[in-house]
Coordinates of all heavy atoms in Angstrom, one line a residue:
F241 N -6.9 13.9 7.7 CA -6.1 13.2 6.6 C -5.5 14.2 5.6 O -4.4 14.0 5.2 CB -7.0 12.1 5.9 CG -7.2 10.9 6.7 CD1 -8.4 10.6 7.3 CD2 -6.2 9.9 6.8 CE1 -8.6 9.5 8.1 CE2 -6.4 8.8 7.6 CZ -7.6 8.5 8.2
L242 N -6.2 15.2 5.4 CA -5.7 16.3 4.5 C -4.4 16.9 5.1 O -3.4 17.0 4.4 CB -6.7 17.4 4.2 CG -7.7 17.1 3.1 CD1 -8.7 18.3 3.1 CD2 -7.0 17.0 1.7
M243 N -4.5 17.2 6.4 CA -3.4 17.9 7.0 C -2.2 17.0 7.2 O -1.1 17.4 7.3 CB -3.8 18.3 8.4 CG -4.9 19.4 8.4 SD -4.6 20.9 7.4 CE -3.3 21.6 8.3
A244 N -2.4 15.6 7.1 CA -1.3 14.7 7.1 C -0.7 14.4 5.8 O 0.2 13.6 5.7 CB -1.8 13.4 7.8
G245 N -1.3 15.0 4.7 CA -0.7 14.9 3.4 C -1.4 13.9 2.4 O -0.9 13.7 1.3
C246 N -2.6 13.4 2.8 CA -3.3 12.4 2.0 C -4.1 13.2 0.9 O -4.5 14.3 1.1 CB -4.2 11.5 2.8 SG -3.4 10.6 4.1
E247 N -4.4 12.5 -0.1 CA -5.5 12.9 -1.0 C -6.8 12.4 -0.5 O -6.9 11.2 -0.1 CB -5.3 12.3 -2.4 CG -4.1 12.9 -3.2 CD -3.9 12.3 -4.6 OE1 -4.9 11.8 -5.1 OE2 -2.8 12.4 -5.1
V248 N -7.8 13.2 -0.3 CA -9.0 12.9 0.3 C -10.2 13.1 -0.6 O -10.4 14.2 -1.2 CB -9.2 13.7 1.7 CG1 -10.5 13.3 2.3 CG2 -8.0 13.4 2.6
L249 N -11.1 12.1 -0.6 CA -12.4 12.2 -1.3 C -13.5 12.2 -0.3 O -13.6 11.2 0.5 CB -12.5 11.1 -2.3 CG -13.9 10.9 -2.9 CD1 -14.3 12.0 -3.8 CD2 -14.0 9.5 -3.6
V250 N -14.4 13.1 -0.3 CA -15.6 13.1 0.5 C -16.8 12.9 -0.4 O -17.0 13.6 -1.4 CB -15.8 14.4 1.3 CG1 -17.2 14.4 2.0 CG2 -14.7 14.6 2.2
V251 N -17.6 11.9 -0.1 CA -18.9 11.6 -0.9 C -20.1 11.9 0.0 O -20.2 11.5 1.2 CB -18.9 10.1 -1.3 CG1 -20.3 9.8 -1.9 CG2 -17.8 9.8 -2.3
E252 N -21.0 12.7 -0.6 CA -22.2 13.1 0.1 C -23.4 12.7 -0.8 O -23.3 12.3 -1.9 CB -22.2 14.6 0.3 CG -21.8 15.0 1.8 CD -22.9 14.7 2.8 OE1 -23.9 14.1 2.4 OE2 -22.7 15.0 4.0
R253 N -24.6 12.9 -0.2 CA -25.8 12.4 -0.8 C -26.3 13.2 -2.0 O -27.0 12.7 -2.9 CB -27.0 12.4 0.2 CG -27.4 13.8 0.8 CD -28.4 13.7 1.9 NE -28.8 15.0 2.4 CZ -28.1 15.6 3.3 NH1 -27.0 15.1 3.8 NH2 -28.5 16.8 3.7
D254 N -26.0 14.5 -2.1 CA -26.4 15.4 -3.2 C -25.4 16.5 -3.4 O -24.5 16.7 -2.6 CB -27.8 15.9 -3.0 CG -28.1 16.6 -1.8 OD1 -27.2 17.4 -1.3 OD2 -29.2 16.4 -1.1
D255 N -25.6 17.3 -4.4 CA -24.7 18.4 -4.7 C -24.6 19.5 -3.6 O -23.6 20.0 -3.3 CB -25.1 19.1 -6.1 CG -24.9 18.2 -7.3 OD1 -24.0 17.2 -7.1 OD2 -25.5 18.4 -8.3
D256 N -25.8 19.8 -3.0 CA -25.8 20.8 -2.0 C -25.0 20.3 -0.8 O -24.2 21.1 -0.2 CB -27.2 21.1 -1.6 CG -28.0 22.0 -2.6 OD1 -27.3 22.5 -3.5 OD2 -29.2 22.0 -2.6
A257 N -25.2 19.1 -0.4 CA -24.5 18.5 0.8 C -23.0 18.4 0.4 O -22.2 18.7 1.3 CB -25.0 17.1 1.1
A258 N -22.7 18.1 -0.8 CA -21.2 18.0 -1.2 C -20.6 19.4 -1.1 O -19.5 19.5 -0.6 CB -21.1 17.4 -2.6
A259 N -21.3 20.4 -1.5 CA -20.8 21.8 -1.5 C -20.6 22.2 0.0 O -19.6 22.9 0.4 CB -21.7 22.8 -2.2
G260 N -21.6 21.8 0.8 CA -21.5 22.1 2.2 C -20.3 21.4 2.9 O -19.6 22.0 3.7
A261 N -20.0 20.2 2.5 CA -18.9 19.5 3.0 C -17.6 20.2 2.7 O -16.7 20.3 3.5 CB -18.9 18.0 2.5
R262 N -17.5 20.6 1.4 CA -16.3 21.3 0.9 C -16.0 22.6 1.8 O -14.9 22.9 2.2 CB -16.3 21.6 -0.5 CG -15.1 22.3 -1.1 CD -15.2 22.7 -2.5 NE -15.2 21.5 -3.4 CZ -14.0 20.9 -3.8 NH1 -12.8 21.4 -3.4 NH2 -14.0 19.9 -4.6
E263 N -17.1 23.3 2.0 CA -17.0 24.5 2.8 C -16.5 24.3 4.2 O -15.7 25.0 4.7 CB -18.4 25.3 2.8 CG -18.3 26.6 3.5 CD -19.7 27.3 3.4 OE1 -20.5 26.9 2.6 OE2 -19.9 28.3 4.1

Side-chain angles (χ1 to χ4, degrees):
F241 283 104
L242 277 174
M243 299 304 293
C246 303
E247 293 182 16
V248 177
L249 164 71
V250 176
V251 171
E252 260 290 2
R253 63 184 180 277
D254 55 40
D255 290 339
D256 287 344
R262 180 181 290 278
E263 183 177 347

